[in-house]
Structure formats: C-alpha cells, structure tokens
Amino acid sequence: MHTEGDYLHLNGIQHLRFCERQCALIYVEQLWSENFFTASGRAQHEKVHGGGGESRKAVRTERNLKIASRLLGVTGCTDAVEFYSDGKIIPVEYKHGEPKEDTCDEVQLCAQAICLEEMLHCKIDEGALFYFKIRKRVSVSITDELRSETVSLANRFHQLVEKGETPAAEYRRKCESCSFIDECFPDSAGRNKSVDSYIKRRMQMDIIGEGDEV
C-alpha cells in the first residue's frame, strides 16, 4: 500500500504500457510534447469533462471525478462513471483514436475501476472504452488477468520514477504516432542505425517538407 505523498498520475500506467521510455520522458524528465493526436484528444476530453452530470432512466452519469488508489499508488480523474439503479458501476474512458492491438487503454480503465472500488467499497466487473474515430463503445471485462497486469504496471511505474533513469530509445512502428518522436530520436536507435544516418534522413524530410510548402 502506498501513502498519499507517493501517488503518481494514473495515466502513467497507460504511458508505461505503451512505451517505458515515453513514460520516463514525461514522469522522470518532466517533458511533454504535443502533436495532432494529443491536441485533438485533449480537446475531446475537455468537452467530455465539461459536460457535467446527467440522469437518464436508470443511470446517473458523473464526469471528471477525482479518484485515487492506495494499492496502485496513483491518482487522477475519470472521464465518466455510470451509476445504475441496480448498483452496477461502469467507468467509461474516451479515446481519440481506435482500439489498439495491446492493452494500453484497458489497463488505464482497470486502474480507474480499482480506484473506484477502494473509494466506494464496491466491486466493478465491467468498464467501457469509447473511441471517437470509429464512434463506437467497447465493453471491457475487468478480469483477474487485467487486474494483475495493471497492478504489475503500477509497481513498475513507481520503480521507474524512483530510479530516475530514462531507458534508451528503441524504434518501433508505433513511434510514428508518438508526440515525443522528435525528442526521443527512436530512428537512431537499434542495430545498424547511426545518429549520422538519422540526421541525414531528418534533413531530407525537412527539405521535402519545404518543397511541398512552396
């Protein structure tokens, strides 16, 4: 169990699941970089958070609730939480893009569920992810396996921040959508990838970009 003074931001669990280096750049080096995807996502979240609570038939929806967990050692805010008349509680997280191949979004949602369980002394078996790109809501089962992965990531998150070291860059396809790509230099990492070749490629991209603008 963690004390309140040790709490980290809940979203860091998702960042760590996506990329350990990205997580360190944000929470160890205190950097933040924005691109089209993060800016669009932030605007959509602000719209969701600003909607206020509402009641429809058997469900009450509350937005932007402050949550925390001693087990995970994290704190944050929800996008939305649905409270049903039969006692069921469903956290809902809104995402800019579309469903991912990994569990980045699921572990963030699970962390929210664990926070709500501690605070409300309840059991949450289900959450939901709404993806703006496909305009679809996806139901997520809060399974034992997902809980275990979320707790493990939370522990790794605390260890990463306490150690205070940023892992080396390792280029993957998903790097192209990351807002930290220019600060991270993932193109220069890995076998047969030198800094010189990376600089040459970036210069060529800049030249092509300038030509396109003309």
Side-chain angles (χ1 to χ4, degrees), residues 11 41 44-52 61-65 67 76-82 91-96 108-109 112 128-130 132:
N11 290 352
Q44 289 167 338
H45 275 83
E46 289 175 353
K47 183 177 181 181
V48 171
H49 289 174
T61 302
E62 296 290 349
R63 295 182 172 85
N64 201 28
L65 296 180
I67 56 175
C77 291
T78 64
D79 281 346
V81 182
E82 297 174 346
V92 183
E93 177 69 15
Y94 290 77
K95 294 297 180 184
H96 167 74
Q108 182 184 12
L109 187 66
Q112 294 178 11
L129 296 164
F130 182 87
F132 282 100

Side-chain angles (χ1 to χ4, degrees), residues 17 25 35 39 42 45 51 74 80 97 107 117 123 129 133 146 151-152 154 157-158 167 175 178 185 195 203 207 211:
R17 180 62 180 84
L25 289 173
N35 63 7
R42 176 171 50 79
H45 275 83
V74 297
V107 294
E117 287 178 335
K123 180 68 182 300
L129 296 164
K133 185 173 182 178
L146 183 58
V151 171
S152 177
F157 183 25
H158 280 273
C175 293
C178 178
F185 295 102
V195 174
M203 289 179 65
I207 293 172

Side-chain angles (χ1 to χ4, degrees), residues 22 24-33 180 183:
Q22 183 202 68
L25 289 173
I26 298 173
Y27 300 99
V28 174
E29 300 190 21
Q30 301 295 308
L31 297 178
W32 179 250
S33 185
F180 282 95
E183 291 86 355

Side-chain angles (χ1 to χ4, degrees), residues 84-200:
Y84 290 79
S85 59
D86 62 0
K88 182 171 61 177
I89 299 175
I90 297 181
V92 183
E93 177 69 15
Y94 290 77
K95 294 297 180 184
H96 167 74
E98 57 188 349
K100 301 177 179 62
E101 295 179 356
D102 57 31
T103 58
C104 286
D105 298 338
E106 284 81 359
V107 294
Q108 182 184 12
L109 187 66
C110 183
Q112 294 178 11
I114 292 173
C115 288
L116 290 167
E117 287 178 335
E118 287 188 29
M119 298 174 67
L120 302 177
H121 306 287
C122 64
K123 180 68 182 300
I124 297 176
D125 299 315
E126 178 187 352
L129 296 164
F130 182 87
Y131 291 94
F132 282 100
K133 185 173 182 178
I134 61 174
R135 305 297 299 177
K136 183 178 180 180
R137 173 168 166 154
V138 179
S139 179
V140 177
S141 296
I142 308 299
T143 63
D144 290 340
E145 291 77 13
L146 183 58
R147 291 173 184 272
S148 179
E149 181 182 11
T150 302
V151 171
S152 177
L153 286 168
N155 291 334
R156 283 177 52 198
F157 183 25
H158 280 273
Q159 293 168 2
L160 179 71
V161 172
E162 289 171 6
K163 190 175 182 181
E165 297 180 3
T166 301
E170 182 179 349
Y171 180 79
R172 296 187 178 95
R173 185 178 63 179
K174 63 185 179 182
C175 293
E176 298 302 325
S177 64
C178 178
S179 61
F180 282 95
I181 189 167
D182 289 328
E183 291 86 355
C184 182
F185 295 102
D187 282 0
S188 64
R191 187 179 302 171
N192 299 325
K193 291 185 178 180
S194 67
V195 174
D196 287 341
S197 62
Y198 168 80
I199 293 175
K200 290 178 181 178

